[in-house]
Amino acid sequence: MSNQKQQKPTLTGQRFKTRKRGLCRFVLSCYCHGCFFYYFYDENLSTDEKERFDPTLFQESIVQGLNQSGSDLEAVAKFLDSTGGKLDYRRYAETLFDILVAGGMLAPGGTLSDDMTRTEFCLFTAPEDLETMQAYAQVFNKLIRRYKYLEKGFEDEIKKLLLFLKGFTESERNKLAMLTGILLANGNISASILNSLYNENLVKEGEESRVVPHRGLSAGFVSTVSPLCSGVSAAFAVKLFKSWIHEKDINSVAGSLRKVGMDNRLMELFPANKRSCEHFSKYFTDAGLKELSDFARNQQSIGARKELQKELQEQMARGDPQKEIIAFTKEEMKKANLSEQAMINIIWTSVMSSVEWNKKEELVCEQAIKLLKQYSLLLKAFTSQGLSELSLLLKIQEYCYDNIHFMKAFQKIVVLLYKADVLSEEAILKWYNDAHVTKGKSVFLEQMKKFVEWLKSAEEESESEEEETD
């Protein structure tokens, strides 16, 4: 090992003038491990560079441009488009969006920072109508299309603004809600931003009064006491969904919510003690959003069915007595307000999902007959109506068609359920004559032909015997 003392890095500097824009630069040279490294630092920046890198000057430049453009949103869009090449939008995206929405930088909670320059030409001071909000949506759309890197920053801004809702006046919340709905309808932002509305402080109910400063140049001089309405999230959602549906339709809402896994979370707009389908339906129906109420009710029904099916499969796996399963199912069916037709479909799916099926086609039929014979009492308990029997027959037809190993088992399954009094003669004949679906139609009708002929002849004999008796 060498005893030579390791040389330490040294740092020296020198000031000199350069001709490039007349900047004064300071050169740092660092000697380390036999190499020199040079670092250049601009002591004086040009006015353009100061605006680009200094947050205060950046804000002043944006405010000045908005003041010059005034309420002409076409001029605002052109100003933002041209200024993006001079100012660092990437670095100060939050500052930019705060000014466009609120007129200045927002402090935590949603109030305007007192020590910052402001403009009275922003979203919050604009007229509260859908047409104006559509025009503002176009401004944001053009800006983000021109500078694609602002997409994430804009979504983050919307999320932040939603968390600050209690710091805004009712009018400001309404404008933000309409704008957000329009942006969601046009695909400018993801529906995942709605997660912010589930914040506990926004969801909880209760009257509260607080001082909310006026936006614009008069801020800091005049304040007003604004009552904070109960259920901020729910009230905001009404305006948001109205503008969304006005732009597109309920299918657009449903598709976007499903895409981000939020189609089953609408009830969370209310406090825990109000999260019922009835309360949700009444609130949004009274607000003129019946289509949203119907969608939420349907989603809750789908969720209830999935949970019920899961529980039934667990009971079958445990080997619970069928009488207990029937009692439980009838109770849950009543709670979820499900029809017998919907219930028999759930039961069929649960029964057929309760076992691991043999891979060999010749053994599958035998396995299915054995399983259905075991649960015939359960199936019979939920086929007390003709429509329920038809629903079951159609479900069997679709199942056998979708699972190719069951194609040859259809007739045997129907005959078994007929003998177990699950399916009636009338239901089978109705299915055969005109109630079947197209899936595997020719195959299954051919399989059932002889049995149907037997049923018809038995029916004729029965009618003949009745006539002789009379």
Side-chain angles (χ1 to χ4, degrees):
M1 186 173 182
S2 174
N3 293 324
Q4 185 179 358
K5 189 174 181 181
Q6 188 174 4
Q7 189 173 8
K8 294 182 179 180
T10 59
L11 184 67
T12 60
Q14 175 181 350
R15 188 188 303 272
F16 71 97
K17 292 281 185 181
T18 67
R19 290 187 179 181
K20 186 178 181 182
R21 293 186 303 231
L23 297 182
C24 182
R25 293 190 170 185
F26 191 67
V27 182
L28 295 177
S29 61
C30 177
Y31 180 80
C32 182
H33 300 296
C35 299
F36 277 99
F37 300 92
Y38 295 91
Y39 303 93
F40 295 86
Y41 168 71
D42 288 338
E43 189 178 58
N44 299 306
L45 294 173
S46 67
T47 303
D48 287 347
E49 286 179 314
K50 284 182 179 178
E51 288 178 350
R52 186 175 181 85
F53 297 115
D54 185 286
T56 303
L57 290 177
F58 175 90
Q59 183 173 1
E60 289 175 353
S61 298
I62 296 296
V63 167
Q64 183 181 357
L66 293 178
N67 287 339
Q68 290 173 353
S69 301
S71 57
D72 183 352
L73 294 183
E74 282 291 332
V76 170
K78 288 178 181 177
F79 160 71
L80 293 171
D81 183 271
S82 60
T83 309
K86 303 172 187 175
L87 301 181
D88 194 350
Y89 283 175
R90 189 188 300 271
R91 178 179 294 189
Y92 299 118
E94 184 178 5
T95 302
L96 174 64
F97 293 129
D98 273 3
I99 296 169
L100 291 174
V101 173
M105 282 288 289
L106 290 171
T111 57
L112 281 169
S113 299
D114 293 332
D115 57 344
M116 293 294 181
T117 308
R118 301 167 186 171
T119 178
E120 56 187 10
F121 298 105
C122 63
L123 178 81
F124 280 172
T125 57
E128 188 184 326
D129 60 74
L130 193 60
E131 186 177 350
T132 304
M133 295 305 105
Q134 288 170 333
Y136 262 97
Q138 280 300 309
V139 171
F140 287 111
N141 184 37
K142 288 176 182 177
L143 177 62
I144 292 167
R145 277 193 308 179
R146 176 69 176 83
Y147 301 101
K148 293 287 287 182
Y149 57 79
L150 287 175
E151 280 184 350
K152 185 179 184 304
F154 186 53
E155 278 208 6
D156 290 342
E157 176 74 10
I158 298 295
K159 291 176 186 176
K160 181 189 79 174
L161 292 170
L162 296 189
L163 291 174
F164 288 174
L165 285 180
K166 283 192 173 182
F168 305 146
T169 66
E170 183 180 355
S171 176
E172 290 166 352
R173 289 197 294 268
N174 290 343
K175 294 168 194 175
L176 182 60
M178 286 189 281
L179 174 72
T180 306
I182 294 164
L183 293 170
L184 284 165
N186 295 326
N188 299 125
I189 53 177
S190 166
S192 61
I193 60 102
L194 298 177
N195 269 309
S196 296
L197 291 180
Y198 301 138
N199 181 278
E200 185 181 351
N201 290 326
L202 300 176
V203 169
K204 68 181 180 181
E205 297 179 338
E207 290 288 331
E208 180 184 339
S209 294
R210 60 184 299 179
V211 175
V212 181
H214 286 301
R215 308 289 170 183
L217 300 180
S218 60
F221 297 98
V222 182
S223 296
T224 179
V225 177
S226 171
L228 193 64
C229 299
S230 60
V232 171
S233 288
F236 185 86
V238 167
K239 290 284 185 180
L240 183 151
F241 285 117
K242 275 188 174 180
S243 61
W244 190 345
I245 293 170
H246 180 271
E247 289 290 304
K248 291 292 176 70
D249 53 32
I250 190 63
N251 293 326
S252 168
V253 175
S256 296
L257 292 178
R258 287 193 187 103
K259 190 175 181 180
V260 295
M262 295 180 67
D263 48 321
N264 290 316
R265 296 189 61 192
L266 291 175
M267 301 293 169
E268 294 177 40
L269 290 168
F270 296 98
N273 63 335
K274 296 287 181 68
R275 286 176 194 168
S276 68
C277 195
E278 291 71 24
H279 181 75
F280 184 97
S281 180
K282 185 178 187 313
Y283 185 90
F284 282 97
T285 299
D286 290 348
L289 284 166
K290 187 178 184 302
E291 55 266 70
L292 186 68
S293 300
D294 293 341
F295 169 74
R297 187 180 292 277
N298 184 54
Q299 290 304 115
Q300 190 185 49
S301 177
I302 291 171
R305 293 180 195 192
K306 287 180 179 178
E307 286 298 316
L308 179 53
Q309 183 177 315
K310 182 181 175 183
E311 179 59 31
L312 282 173
Q313 287 177 223
E314 289 177 358
Q315 290 179 358
M316 291 172 190
R318 292 195 303 264
D320 291 0
Q322 283 194 59
K323 287 185 178 181
E324 290 182 11
I325 296 176
I326 291 169
F328 164 81
T329 306
K330 285 187 174 181
E331 185 179 344
E332 292 300 311
M333 174 178 154
K334 187 177 180 180
K335 283 182 186 176
N337 196 28
L338 295 173
S339 65
E340 193 177 74
Q341 293 84 55
M343 197 67 248
I344 194 62
N345 288 338
I346 295 171
I347 293 170
W348 169 267
T349 303
S350 301
V351 169
M352 300 305 280
S353 301
S354 65
V355 296
E356 188 74 31
W357 294 104
N358 200 297
K359 301 296 182 184
K360 295 182 179 180
E361 186 176 349
E362 60 272 15
L363 297 177
V364 162
C365 182
E366 182 182 338
Q367 189 182 4
I369 295 300
K370 183 178 178 181
L371 178 68
L372 292 170
K373 188 181 290 185
Q374 178 185 347
Y375 286 105
S376 60
L377 187 64
L378 175 61
L379 293 166
K380 183 180 179 180
F382 295 90
T383 50
S384 63
Q385 304 168 14
L387 284 175
S388 306
E389 294 179 56
L390 274 177
S391 293
L392 178 57
L393 274 165
L394 293 172
K395 192 71 176 176
I396 297 168
Q397 180 184 351
E398 290 178 354
Y399 185 88
C400 291
Y401 178 80
D402 293 337
N403 298 273
I404 195 166
H405 292 321
F406 287 83
M407 287 290 285
K408 295 180 180 178
F410 179 78
Q411 187 264 356
K412 292 181 179 178
I413 291 173
V414 173
V415 171
L416 167 71
L417 297 180
Y418 170 75
K419 291 179 178 178
D421 290 331
V422 175
L423 296 174
S424 67
E425 176 184 321
E426 292 77 15
I428 295 171
L429 291 175
K430 175 69 176 173
W431 171 86
Y432 185 86
N433 291 328
D434 53 33
H436 50 259
V437 292
T438 56
K439 289 184 174 182
K441 170 184 170 182
S442 58
V443 175
F444 299 139
L445 290 180
E446 182 61 32
Q447 284 185 26
M448 292 295 295
K449 187 176 180 180
K450 289 184 179 179
F451 182 66
V452 167
E453 288 175 354
W454 178 82
L455 286 178
K456 287 180 178 178
S457 63
E459 185 180 19
E460 289 171 0
E461 288 178 8
S462 177
E463 289 175 357
S464 178
E465 287 176 2
E466 286 178 5
E467 288 176 2
E468 289 177 4
T469 305
D470 293 341

